[in-house]
Amino acid sequence: MAESLQYFSTNHKAPQVSFGEALLQGLAPDKGLYMPQSIPTFTSNEIQSFATMEYYEIACAVFSKFLRNDIPYNELLSMCKDAYTFDVPLEKVYNRKYIMRLDQGPTASFKDFAGQMMGRLMQYYLKQKGTHKLILTATSGDTGSAVASAFYDLQTIRVAILFPKDEVTLRQRKQMTTLQKNIHVLAIDGKFDDAQAMVKEAFSDKDLQYLELTSANSINIGRLIPQIVYYIYAYSRLAKPGSGEQAVFCIPSGNFGDMMGCVFAKHMGLPVKKILVATNDNNEFEVLLQTKQYTKIEPSKNCLSSAMNVGHPSNLARLIELYGGNMDETGMLHKAPDFAAMNRDFYSLSVTDAQTHETIKRAWNSYNVVLEPHGAVGWKCVETYVAQNGEQADELLISLETAHPAKFPEAIVTNIGIDPALPPSLQGIEDKPEAFDNIPANYPAFKEYLLNKF
Ligand SMILES: *Cc1c(COP(=O)(O)O)cnc(C)c1O
């Protein structure tokens, strides 16, 4: 039996823990993020064998590498089969350029891929320990609903979700506020970064220890591992069999959890040539790659692709760690990463709202492809990358569409005059009754709420 893989904190001041503990803790006690001691790898034969495997089987293969024998294989396989019942469409745009639509899950965003599996994994470990947890989550829109749906009605887990009250759409809000039961929702009079800071402070507050707090944000390692799988899946379906050819992925990014999934996939051995990191006006990563200086964007900028309004992506600490540097939770760069390697592996572009609108129009007019704002930021980044590097018809390039267009109907109706049909999971949601509380964007108010409520 393989020895279990240990997880360390990016701040290097906390003990190493097992996967189960890292999953249940979320943030490490020193406020760092958990990382596996080493990234497990696939052989090229294993990677080739994925071509004939189902999505959930590939998911199980990835999880097995990170969990070793923590969960018996058959149990893990049935969890994966149960979690991944939805389709992952790969839509050809032109030549070998594709859109991967990660919007067929229960809340119609890519965050379902992680949420569905995390709920099952946490339940497994909590049952084993005979304890309970209160999950705190800050959301810029889609995490909240994916988390709410993943943990809804579980006996061992309660959930409190904080969202910036003016930065989520009505549908996004309703997906969180209409569930109720063990799902508690809080509207913050502030921004996503405020909500995230409040959640982080609660985690290190001794007075709240009795609540058994944990997170389901992409600071949780349990969010990242499921996000490795779809890169491997897309490659397995689109790469020329046995060629070992390299693929380019483009990821519309905010807190960089999705992008880290691709980075892990690459380090596991998936032939990835370049990772395109597309952002909205919150361009701190593009600036970092160019100047080697890190400056957070405070407050973060409000853009059309609202789920990406993040001025200081938490997962940057993980990326920097992986490239030999060190960054603490405040964004202070204590040790420079290997910028040459980062510039070789990544390309980043910041896309304006005006360009986002134009891209929605252009993708429809040129290719009959419907994009919502987040996916459009990604596609604009692809267009720019291709323009700079020259069109290579044979190059495999996969751009992610992270939400269903029906979640952002305004931008689609305005630009292409189509009101996209709601996926079944969102139908009827506008008519359901909501429940949520309002609090100001400061920590004492949040703490008082938690002490009174739980
Ligand atoms: C959360 C989200 C993103 C950004 O993902 P990160 O992992 O935070 O970078 C992009 N698009 C949509 C629709 C999202 O919900």
Side-chain angles (χ1 to χ4, degrees):
M1 214 192 232
E3 206 183 303
S4 84
L5 184 57
Q6 293 288 297
Y7 291 75
F8 69 92
S9 161
T10 52
N11 281 349
H12 299 275
K13 293 191 187 86
Q16 298 199 358
V17 296
S18 67
F19 175 79
E21 285 167 70
L23 176 76
L24 294 181
Q25 278 182 34
L27 196 65
D30 63 359
K31 298 187 184 180
L33 306 186
Y34 283 116
M35 281 286 276
Q37 214 176 29
S38 62
I39 297 185
T41 53
F42 286 119
T43 63
S44 52
N45 278 344
E46 280 176 306
I47 289 171
Q48 276 179 42
S49 72
F50 295 143
T52 54
M53 284 162 65
E54 299 289 339
Y55 188 96
Y56 77 91
E57 294 172 316
I58 301 174
C60 190
V62 171
F63 275 100
S64 301
K65 292 271 182 185
F66 284 92
L67 273 67
R68 302 264 168 89
N69 296 309
D70 241 27
I71 301 180
Y73 181 82
N74 281 334
E75 201 150 342
L76 191 60
L77 189 66
S78 77
M79 270 187 218
C80 291
K81 190 166 186 179
D82 212 40
Y84 299 113
T85 51
F86 43 90
D87 194 21
V88 185
L90 291 157
E91 186 175 329
K92 182 171 169 166
V93 185
Y94 73 93
N95 289 344
R96 296 186 75 217
K97 296 186 174 50
Y98 293 83
I99 297 283
M100 172 157 60
R101 293 198 182 268
L102 302 173
D103 62 356
Q104 302 293 299
T107 70
S109 101
F110 87 92
K111 293 192 173 76
D112 287 328
F113 285 79
Q116 289 303 306
M117 195 61 194
M118 246 182 103
R120 286 167 173 82
L121 286 170
M122 277 199 179
Q123 201 178 14
Y124 178 90
Y125 288 106
L126 285 172
K127 273 191 191 157
Q128 239 184 9
K129 289 178 72 166
T131 65
H132 61 91
K133 283 281 176 189
L134 173 61
I135 292 180
L136 296 185
T137 289
T139 182
S140 52
D142 285 333
T143 299
S145 52
V147 168
S149 147
F151 296 101
Y152 179 60
D153 216 12
L154 295 182
Q155 267 65 52
T156 51
I157 300 172
R158 290 179 294 185
V159 179
I161 302 170
L162 284 72
F163 72 90
K165 76 175 177 44
D166 298 325
E167 290 181 23
V168 306
T169 67
L170 178 68
R171 276 178 194 163
Q172 284 179 323
R173 196 181 78 210
K174 287 256 178 173
Q175 283 182 282
M176 303 184 270
T177 58
T178 56
L179 287 171
Q180 303 169 27
K181 285 195 182 175
N182 61 329
I183 310 296
H184 306 270
V185 185
L186 281 166
I188 304 298
D189 194 5
K191 301 189 150 283
F192 169 73
D193 295 316
D194 298 322
Q196 178 148 277
M198 288 157 74
V199 164
K200 279 193 175 172
E201 196 163 344
F203 285 131
S204 51
D205 190 332
K206 296 250 178 326
D207 297 345
L208 300 180
Q209 251 173 10
Y210 76 99
L211 289 173
E212 293 282 336
L213 297 178
T214 191
S215 89
N217 271 38
S218 52
I219 57 178
N220 194 310
I221 188 71
R223 270 279 298 278
L224 292 195
I225 297 172
Q227 292 173 179
I228 298 170
V229 181
Y230 37 77
Y231 297 101
I232 298 178
Y233 171 81
Y235 185 89
S236 78
R237 294 311 190 260
L238 298 175
K240 290 175 190 155
S243 65
E245 67 174 322
Q246 290 195 306
V248 176
F249 285 97
C250 178
I251 304 140
S253 294
N255 213 16
F256 289 7
D258 198 359
M259 179 263 257
M260 279 309 292
C262 190
V263 174
F264 273 52
K266 178 178 168 69
H267 285 251
M268 291 184 86
L270 192 74
V272 176
K273 179 176 171 190
K274 201 93 171 173
I275 298 174
L276 313 186
V277 181
T279 71
N280 57 28
D281 281 336
N282 295 287
N283 66 344
E284 62 285 339
F285 188 60
E286 185 185 11
V287 173
L288 174 69
L289 286 182
Q290 283 167 8
T291 65
K292 305 181 184 167
Q293 303 289 324
Y294 183 63
T295 314
K296 297 188 266 191
I297 297 189
E298 285 178 309
S300 58
K301 295 185 182 156
N302 271 346
C303 303
L304 193 59
S305 46
S306 55
M308 299 173 3
N309 293 341
V310 183
H312 171 43
S314 306
N315 279 292
L316 201 49
R318 285 197 169 105
L319 185 70
I320 299 280
E321 173 74 39
L322 209 51
Y323 282 83
N326 181 253
M327 178 183 272
D328 69 19
E329 72 283 358
T330 68
M332 176 81 85
L333 202 52
H334 294 286
K335 183 177 168 217
D338 182 346
F339 278 111
M342 282 175 69
N343 274 303
R344 192 181 62 226
D345 292 349
F346 299 95
Y347 166 84
S348 184
L349 183 76
S350 146
V351 174
T352 65
D353 278 357
Q355 290 171 322
T356 308
H357 281 294
E358 285 157 21
T359 306
I360 293 173
K361 282 194 198 103
R362 203 167 41 247
W364 175 249
N365 293 334
S366 310
Y367 307 112
N368 273 10
V369 168
V370 180
L371 296 177
E372 55 72 58
H374 305 82
V377 167
W379 187 251
K380 174 68 190 175
C381 179
V382 167
E383 290 177 330
T384 311
Y385 172 79
V386 169
Q388 286 173 9
N389 291 274
E391 170 66 27
Q392 292 163 42
D394 205 39
E395 180 171 86
L396 179 58
L397 190 156
I398 300 153
S399 192
L400 273 53
E401 177 49 289
T402 47
H404 193 283
K407 292 188 98 168
F408 301 91
E410 300 83 1
I412 320 256
V413 172
T414 322
N415 287 301
I416 62 179
I418 289 176
D419 191 0
L422 282 174
S425 61
L426 300 186
Q427 279 165 19
I429 198 147
E430 260 107 349
D431 308 324
K432 291 189 187 160
E434 297 187 89
F436 64 94
D437 296 306
N438 288 281
I439 63 164
N442 65 65
Y443 181 66
F446 180 46
K447 179 169 176 175
E448 195 184 308
Y449 173 91
L450 291 174
L451 290 170
N452 288 336
K453 188 99 180 178
F454 299 105

